[in-house]
Each structure stands twice: as C-alpha cells, then as structure tokens.
Amino acid sequence: MLKLSTPSRDPFWLDILPGVRIQFRPISVADMLVARAVAAESLGTKVEGDAPLDRSTTVAAGAAFTRSLARSGIAAWEGVGDANGKPVDPSPATIDQLLEIWPAFDAIDRLYVGPALTRLDEKNV
C-alpha cells in the first residue's frame, strides 16, 4: 500500500566513512528530475538509433545521477579537509573531489541515493 504522508524536509546525518559524516537534505521530486535529466544528458550524445549502450556509457550516466543528487543534497559535513588537513566546506568543487574517492562515492550511493530510489527509508514499497 502506498502511504500518503508529508515527508520530512529536515536534513539528516549519515556516517559515510570512519571519521566522516555528512548532513544531507532529503531528496525532493525536483532533485530527482534534475538528476534524471543530467543522466540522460550524459547518455544523449552517445546514443545512436537503437544501438545498445556500452557499459562505460551506462556507468557514466549512473555516476552523473549520483553526483547530481550529492551536489544538491549535501548541506554540511565533518571530517573532510584539503590536502593539508584543513577542514573545507561543501561546495560543488569539494563535493566533486569527495566523489572521486571510491569508498565515499559508494557510501553516498548506497546510503543516500539507493534508499530514495527504492523508498525503503519510508517503508513505502
């Protein structure tokens, strides 16, 4: 059964890696639509007719999707610093740098993006 309720818009914290936690905004419908458009744009120039997509193309689209949601969703973080260990604030550039670290990307994809796609966080499947 689909349960209709007003979703919380309060940011929440997730432990991403040892010593790193990130405060995320809940994913809105608008965030999801923008992320889908970004992923489609990533595919757009590589699709010709009905030719099957190669693996690297679909992986790039998935990465673009997660990157878009992370950029719009990260509100704050703790335990993230520059090359000298000085704490840095989240910005598009620092979020992109964080997402280039595989364990961080994987954790954000699993713990933040995944539940929004499956709606497990609301038990609304």
Side-chain angles (χ1 to χ4, degrees), residues 73-85:
I74 293 176
W77 57 32
E78 296 174 354
V80 179
D82 64 14
N84 297 317

Side-chain angles (χ1 to χ4, degrees), residues 47-94:
V47 176
E48 295 181 17
D50 293 327
L53 297 174
D54 63 44
R55 183 172 291 159
S56 65
T57 301
T58 56
V59 167
F65 182 84
T66 295
R67 187 174 307 278
S68 176
L69 290 174
R71 284 180 184 154
S72 64
I74 293 176
W77 57 32
E78 296 174 354
V80 179
D82 64 14
N84 297 317
K86 180 182 174 195
V88 295
D89 291 328
S91 69
T94 57

Side-chain angles (χ1 to χ4, degrees), residues 10-16 20-26 70-78 90 95 112:
D10 296 330
F12 57 93
W13 289 91
L14 291 174
D15 294 322
I16 297 300
V20 176
R21 56 187 230 138
I22 299 177
Q23 185 183 49
F24 290 96
R25 294 175 197 89
R71 284 180 184 154
S72 64
I74 293 176
W77 57 32
E78 296 174 354
I95 291 169
Y112 179 60

